[in-house]
């Protein structure tokens, strides 16, 4: 079956290896071309033969995200559009706006309030403990704690507790002098 004959179109948001991996899985299973919307024309999704990539610096804002979804859904009104976020901030956008999506769009997400609570690492790990679900050993580092940590586990992976909120803030470029 030619990808143009498929009854659905994957519409992914992000721009790193996550979008490429999901697009590749769709292509391998269904021979369908995926449309990816990210901030920058870079990464493995850009210039891929199985992906139609669109860059927009403001794609991660509510207004631009929803306009993009509406315009894309209207342009492909004869297809079911699968809207998938490939990164925490894009998952949050899909979840927050899932009830505003056009009729031909499927956004397979839980309600935003629950998703927002679950994506916060501290709450997630607390729920894992309460339900006896294994998870990697975790240390929550708070402002003011000693920067030299004596970790009892390796490797050490650092993650913000709320990654959506983390990426909403700009940080100085460590390569630039002040």
């Amino acid at each position: 079956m030619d990808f143009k004959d498929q009854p659905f179109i994957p519409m992914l948001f992000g721009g790193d290896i996550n979008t490429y991996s999901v697009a590749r899985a769709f292509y391998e299973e269904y021979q369908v071309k995926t449309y990816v919307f990210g901030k920058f024309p870079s990464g493995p999704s850009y210039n891929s033969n199985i992906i139609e990539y669109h860059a927009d610096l403001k794609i991660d804002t509510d207004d631009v995200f929803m306009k993009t979804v509406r315009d894309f859904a209207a342009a492909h009104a004869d297809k079911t559009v699968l809207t998938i976020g490939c990164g925490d901030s894009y998952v949050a956008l899909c979840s927050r706006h899932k009830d505003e999506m056009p009729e031909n769009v499927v956004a397979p997400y839980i309600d935003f309030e629950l998703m927002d609570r679950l994506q916060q690492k501290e709450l997630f790990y607390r729920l894992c403990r309460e339900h006896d679900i294994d998870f990697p050993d975790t240390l929550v580092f708070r402002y003011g704690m000693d920067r030299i940590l004596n970790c009892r586990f390796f490797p050490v992976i650092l993650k913000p507790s709320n990654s959506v909120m983390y990426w909403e803030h700009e940080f100085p470029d460590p390569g630039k002098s002040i």
Side-chain angles (χ1 to χ4, degrees):
M1 176 184 280
D2 187 1
F3 74 86
K4 293 175 183 149
D5 296 329
Q6 288 291 354
F8 67 92
I9 300 175
M11 181 184 197
L12 308 182
F13 290 89
D16 59 12
I17 191 67
N18 292 327
T19 55
Y20 178 79
S21 298
V22 174
R24 183 171 174 174
F26 273 116
Y27 186 78
E28 288 176 356
E29 185 64 26
Y30 303 104
Q31 293 72 51
V32 64
K33 189 170 220 170
T34 297
Y35 292 76
V36 174
F37 298 82
K39 290 181 90 164
F40 308 103
S42 62
S45 291
Y46 183 67
N47 283 335
S48 167
N49 291 329
I50 61 171
I51 293 170
E52 179 86 25
Y53 190 89
H54 302 271
D56 187 324
L57 287 173
K58 297 187 183 271
I59 193 65
D60 60 348
T61 63
D62 292 293
D63 292 343
V64 173
F65 171 80
M66 281 308 299
K67 180 177 179 354
T68 302
V69 171
R70 286 185 186 112
D71 291 351
F72 188 84
H76 300 90
D78 61 328
K79 305 273 187 184
T80 297
V81 177
L82 304 176
T83 304
I84 300 171
C86 296
D88 291 345
S89 61
Y90 296 110
V91 168
L93 282 166
C94 291
S95 176
R96 184 168 42 246
H97 295 291
K98 71 180 185 136
D99 295 333
E100 303 166 47
M101 302 282 183
E103 203 169 296
N104 65 323
V105 174
V106 173
Y109 291 93
I110 60 176
D111 290 332
F112 177 72
E113 184 179 307
L114 177 59
M115 187 280 310
D116 190 46
R117 288 178 44 225
L118 290 175
Q119 68 88 25
Q120 295 179 39
K121 308 294 187 271
E122 278 186 82
L123 177 59
F124 178 76
Y125 294 138
R126 186 177 333 131
L127 288 170
C128 286
R129 277 193 224 51
E130 287 175 13
H131 297 281
D132 201 28
I133 297 171
D134 289 337
F135 63 93
D137 203 358
T138 303
L139 169 73
V140 176
F141 185 84
R142 298 194 190 308
Y143 180 77
M145 290 175 70
D146 189 355
R147 290 179 186 232
I148 300 173
L149 301 174
N150 186 8
C151 291
R152 63 185 187 280
F153 48 87
F154 287 93
V156 175
I157 299 170
L158 302 175
K159 290 184 169 187
S161 178
N162 186 331
S163 61
V164 173
M165 185 182 292
Y166 175 84
W167 288 111
E168 290 175 357
H169 301 281
E170 290 188 30
F171 297 94
D173 183 344
K176 290 185 178 178
S177 59
I178 298 176

